[in-house]
Structure formats: C-alpha cells, structure tokens
Amino acid sequence: MRFCQLVITSLLSLIAVSAHANNWYDRGNAGFALFCAGQAPIVLDLYEVSTRELGVVKFSKADTAVDKAVDLASRLNSVDPARARQYKDSALDFMASAQFVTDLGIRKTPDLGLVTVPAECTLEQVVFQRNPSILNKARYVVNANLWNQLDADNQAALILHEAIYREVINSTANELFSERVRIFNGIIHSHQVLSLLKTDYLKLLQELHLTTYEENGLKISLGYTTPEGFWVDSEVFMDGMGRILSASLAANQYFGYGGMEYACIGSTVAEMGRVTLDDGNIRTLRVNPDFARDGACNLPMLIVPDSNGFAIFGNMWFFGREQNLIRVDGTLNKKAQLAYKGMTYELVPDLFKTGVYNTTFTFDSKMNLIEVGLGGTPCLNETEDKVQFVQNLANGEGTVAISDTGKPEQIPVCR
C-alpha cells in the first residue's frame, strides 16, 4: 500500500496563535476522520492507534455515542478522577453545544501536525471547535453529512477528542497541533492508562502537554508554555507509593485550606506557588515571586478570626498535620490596623520609605493569634492604648506575643 505524507505547518497557525496566549476564537481546532474507498470511515485518532503502536482499540459496550464517550472517559477514574469527571461533563454537553450543518463544508483548520494517510483515503474534517464568543454561539460545528456516516464508536471517539481538546485550548499549553490530543484519545481507547503507575501517568501527561493534575482538590501544575513558545515541565516529586511530596500549584484555580482562601482566573503566570505535601495535605506554600509581581490575582488570603475583618495576603504559609494554620508571612505597603480582641495593632510606615514591610502572624491550633509582626519595632502607645510597629533602623523588625485574652505581652512603651 502506498502512503503519502500530509504535513500541515501553515503559517496561518503561527499568526493565529500568539506566542504567549491561546487565541482560539479565530483559529479553532478540529476532529478528523479517514474516508477510504470500500471501507467504513474511521476517526483519525483510532486509525493512529495502530500506526503509532499505541495498542489495540477496545470499544465501549454502551449504546449511544454520548454514552460510549462517557464510558471511555470513566477509564480514567482510578488514575485521574478529576479529569475523568471533566471529560464526562464535556461529553454529556456535546450535543447541546453542537451545531449540525448539512448545507456547507467546514474549512479545514491547520492543526493536524504530522499525519500519515493511505493513498486511497481522504482526510475529512467532521467537527470544528472553538470557545463560544460573539463570533459563534455553538462550541462545536459538525458536518452532519460526514457525522452520519460514522458508527457510534467513531462518533464517541470524536466526542472524546473534543473533550480533550476543550481542556487543551483553555489551558496554559499553547498547542498548535492536535497530535498529542489524538495520542491521548488513542491511549484511552486502548485502555493502557490502567496499567500505568502514577509516576508514569504524570510523565505521560507532561509529554502530552496536559498542564494540570488534581490531587486532593489542588490543581498541580505539570508544565506550561513560556512566552517564547517553549514547553517547560514542572517538577513533581513523589514517594515510592505515588504520593506527591512537592509540586507547583497552577495559578488559575480555587481552593480553601485551613482557613486560607485562594481564587484566581485569567492569570498570565502559569504557577501560583510551590507546595510541600504530607499525605495530600499542605504543609508549606511559598508563593511564586513572578505571580506576586504580576498582580492579576490576589495572593492566598486569610481573614483573621475575632478581628475587624483584617485580611492577610500571605506569600509563605505553614500548616500542621491537622490542616491547621501555624504561621503566615506576608507584606504591607501602607498603614494598616489590626483590631484583635480589644487591642489595636498598627503599622506606622516611614514617610520617607517606599517599598514593603514584612509581616508575620502565628496561630495556635484553635486559630487564636499568638504572635504578630507588622514590619517594624513594636511598642505600646499608652496614650492611644494600641501597639504600634514603628520603623526603626537601629532595632529592625520585631514581633509581639499575644496572650489567651488577646493582650500583648512583654512590650516596651513607645518613646
């Protein structure tokens, strides 16, 4: 059998996607199928299972195309339950988000990459996907004439392909081609993920440029594309039992932990910070300086209990084994007052100094504040009955211990 090499590296694909952000609104991406003389059509992802030696396709035994796609996604349940749920939701949403067209063809998108096509076959675009916008209400445009020629298994393969691609186009991976999406779809179809150890599975996700993995409600960063367009693997350290010990957290996510709250969407910096974990629980979190400088999202924050609503935006967090907050370090850049259990703690900035003041807050196991530092030398202002942290180059920065009743301990009087 003669083969021809179809290599699509259109300059348009380089123009349509910037080096530092995914602009998929105009470019879009697609699901393809092979239509060969005298043979039933086959989705490209399934055809490549054999050409890429990914194993043997094992179809779902469910009935409808959507049910089959959901069943295929469930193969990730044991190794990647969060991603399995995501793909199932996308599959269930497919028909409601699709516009089926019969009176026009779909212009081929330049996202195929390297494809080997038998000479007697044609490669046809069946589905076109892009995020809904003012340009398009439907996420998917489907060529109904071609779709109806596919059996339910191939329709399911396209639905799963689009579910994977939906994740990719909304991630920090700047993928120009769909090769990695097709490979992951093929691996799921061949049921190979069940045989992988967690360490090998995460390495596979990195090779596929899938940017995150969810562990105990935390989105772990696996990698990202730099502004120059290069993929970078993030370091993930695990023990022999496959438990993550240290990793970076993806910037765009929401979670709460031990009184700390974090929420961010739209950050241009891929990683928020670095965590160490103990059996899935956070022990330390150090915020990425690039993320802090970017300023698109707030740092992880905590409202101090029994205070005047004082919010700590911390760049270094320490937690105990019971998920209790031990200490948080942060910064202030202006005058601030913490009213806590009847006493006021105040930062008095130096009028001639610009920059930030280092802060620290320590808590007991019941989230009572037991020590505070606001970036200066502490003293008791007896006239105003408050603790002031005053800039003093000779004495530097200090902290104040706080009793069970909320009163400061062993603090000199302000002079």
Side-chain angles (χ1 to χ4, degrees):
M1 178 181 297
R2 295 183 300 108
F3 292 85
C4 65
Q5 296 292 320
L6 175 61
V7 184
I8 300 179
T9 56
S10 170
L11 180 61
L12 292 175
S13 66
L14 299 178
I15 296 174
V17 180
S18 69
H20 61 276
N22 288 323
N23 180 5
W24 297 83
Y25 292 108
D26 296 321
R27 174 171 168 260
N29 52 90
F32 288 82
L34 283 170
F35 291 79
C36 307
Q39 302 179 43
I42 182 173
V43 167
L44 179 60
D45 309 38
L46 301 183
Y47 170 75
E48 290 184 326
V49 170
S50 59
T51 61
R52 294 181 183 272
E53 299 182 348
L54 300 178
V56 178
V57 172
K58 298 178 181 178
F59 291 116
S60 166
K61 296 181 179 180
D63 296 325
T64 69
V66 170
D67 289 343
K68 286 176 179 289
V70 170
D71 184 47
L72 289 165
S74 69
R75 294 178 179 181
L76 297 176
N77 282 346
S78 61
V79 294
D80 199 345
R83 183 165 275 109
R85 289 193 300 271
Q86 180 181 338
Y87 291 172
K88 289 176 189 178
D89 290 343
S90 294
L92 291 169
D93 179 62
F94 181 83
M95 290 300 182
S97 300
Q99 177 186 3
F100 287 80
V101 296
T102 57
D103 55 348
L104 73 161
I106 301 174
R107 181 181 178 183
K108 287 185 178 180
T109 55
D111 67 336
L112 275 168
L114 177 64
V115 181
T116 302
V117 180
E120 69 275 14
C121 300
T122 61
L123 190 61
E124 300 290 345
Q125 183 171 326
V126 184
V127 183
F128 172 83
Q129 177 186 173
R130 60 181 173 182
N131 285 326
S133 72
I134 194 171
L135 302 178
N136 56 293
K137 292 183 179 180
R139 174 175 292 277
Y140 311 105
V141 177
V142 183
N143 186 320
N145 296 327
L146 299 178
W147 176 267
N148 292 334
Q149 295 180 53
L150 301 175
D151 62 22
D153 287 316
N154 280 273
Q155 290 175 349
L158 279 180
I159 293 173
L160 184 56
H161 173 102
E162 298 303 329
I164 301 169
Y165 227 145
R166 184 171 178 173
E167 175 189 359
V168 170
I169 66 176
N170 290 291
S171 73
T172 54
N174 193 6
E175 288 298 291
L176 299 180
F177 306 114
S178 64
E179 287 180 86
R180 289 183 173 86
V181 172
R182 302 198 305 267
I183 290 172
F184 194 35
N185 195 7
I187 289 173
I188 294 173
H189 270 82
S190 65
H191 231 318
Q192 286 198 37
V193 290
L194 291 179
S195 63
L196 295 177
L197 297 175
K198 186 175 179 179
T199 52
D200 296 326
Y201 177 70
L202 295 189
K203 289 178 182 177
L204 171 66
L205 295 183
Q206 288 180 319
E207 291 183 10
L208 295 172
H209 292 185
L210 294 174
T211 58
T212 62
Y213 174 82
E214 190 167 315
E215 178 100 339
N216 283 8
L218 301 174
K219 280 190 178 180
I220 303 297
S221 174
L222 299 179
Y224 56 92
T225 301
T226 67
E228 296 75 26
F230 298 102
W231 173 263
V232 176
D233 283 344
S234 298
E235 288 187 320
V236 180
F237 296 101
M238 290 186 284
D239 63 15
M241 299 179 65
R243 293 176 297 195
I244 296 177
L245 302 177
S246 175
S248 294
L249 293 181
N252 293 313
Q253 62 173 308
Y254 163 79
F255 66 90
Y257 189 88
M260 175 183 70
E261 297 288 336
Y262 174 75
C264 179
I265 58 174
S267 172
T268 57
V269 178
E271 297 178 342
M272 180 267 280
R274 189 83 186 169
V275 291
T276 58
L277 302 173
D278 182 3
D279 201 20
N281 296 315
I282 299 176
R283 296 304 302 274
T284 64
L285 165 59
R286 183 185 297 275
V287 172
N288 176 4
D290 290 338
F291 175 83
R293 283 191 294 268
D294 180 62
C297 295
N298 286 328
L299 301 185
M301 62 89 68
L302 167 76
I303 301 295
V304 178
D306 300 318
S307 74
N308 57 334
F310 188 88
I312 302 171
F313 294 91
N315 50 39
M316 188 70 201
W317 299 75
F318 302 85
F319 295 90
R321 292 185 180 275
E322 303 302 321
Q323 301 187 17
N324 59 297
L325 178 62
I326 296 175
R327 196 182 92 208
V328 54
D329 298 337
T331 58
L332 290 172
N333 59 9
K334 59 183 179 180
K335 184 175 182 179
Q337 285 188 339
L338 163 64
Y340 181 74
K341 293 186 177 181
M343 178 58 68
T344 297
Y345 301 82
E346 179 182 67
L347 168 64
V348 182
D350 187 337
L351 297 178
F352 301 98
K353 175 184 176 180
T354 59
V356 297
Y357 302 90
N358 296 319
T359 63
T360 184
F361 304 85
T362 304
F363 298 86
D364 65 15
S365 60
K366 296 180 180 180
M367 284 297 290
N368 294 306
L369 189 61
I370 59 175
E371 187 176 13
V372 60
L374 294 182
T377 302
C379 61
L380 179 62
N381 185 325
E382 293 182 314
T383 303
E384 300 182 19
D385 194 26
K386 64 174 64 171
V387 175
Q388 294 183 316
F389 290 81
V390 182
Q391 286 297 299
N392 187 319
L393 295 179
N395 296 330
E397 298 175 350
T399 62
V400 174
I402 301 175
S403 69
D404 294 340
T405 61
K407 301 300 181 181
E409 298 179 333
Q410 299 179 347
I411 179 171
V413 175
C414 297
R415 303 297 182 187

